[in-house]
Amino acid sequence: MKFLLMIQMNDEAFEALGEERRNEIMNAHEGFQKMLRERGEMVVTHALADPSTSATVRVKDGVPAVTDGPFAEAKEYLAGYYVIDCESRERALEIAGRMPEAGFLGVEVRPIMYTSGTEM
């Protein structure tokens, strides 16, 4: 079963952690990824750029309109994600609990229902 593990970010809360703790969280991904690869559960991971670099496309009357910035203003935003392939929801939750961000803002775990385009 494939699952999406979504890493949420809140810049104010992250800055409040202090530099040492922030570095611990960021550096812990190397060991976390190694564990997933060794168990054959890693599919892919991506870190996303800051929401200020995004654009939102809305189509009205068949005409696309592009605006800079995220779709919605929010303190928390999607900062990155992992796609994993493991035997059960329980294992996906266990893996999410080992993620560096689990002790910070939490990690959303969602089953992937459909994949198309690139074989994962």
Side-chain angles (χ1 to χ4, degrees):
M1 299 177 66
K2 290 187 175 87
F3 293 87
L4 181 66
L5 308 180
M6 293 176 271
I7 302 167
Q8 299 297 318
M9 177 56 68
N10 177 310
D11 291 331
E12 289 179 17
F14 194 63
E15 285 298 316
L17 293 176
E19 184 176 1
E20 185 176 331
R21 181 67 179 122
R22 290 191 309 266
N23 288 336
E24 285 175 12
I25 289 171
M26 299 308 290
N27 294 333
H29 281 278
E30 185 176 329
F32 180 72
Q33 291 172 22
K34 181 178 184 225
M35 178 270 301
L36 289 175
R37 281 192 295 277
E38 288 174 352
R39 292 188 53 115
E41 295 172 319
M42 171 72 108
V43 176
V44 69
T45 185
H46 290 108
L48 303 176
D50 188 90
S52 66
T53 65
S54 68
T56 300
V57 178
R58 291 181 180 86
V59 177
K60 185 173 181 177
D61 298 325
V63 178
V66 179
T67 55
D68 289 336
F71 179 74
E73 292 293 324
K75 286 188 176 194
E76 293 181 8
Y77 59 89
L78 183 63
Y81 62 89
Y82 283 81
V83 175
I84 60 170
D85 192 349
C86 58
E87 72 268 4
S88 66
R89 178 179 187 271
E90 290 73 24
R91 175 64 182 149
L93 296 173
E94 178 185 331
I95 291 169
R98 296 180 69 177
M99 291 182 68
E101 289 80 8
F104 172 53
L105 285 177
V107 176
E108 183 178 346
V109 178
R110 193 176 303 178
I112 295 175
M113 295 178 49
Y114 175 78
T115 301
S116 178
T118 304
E119 182 56 38
M120 284 194 197

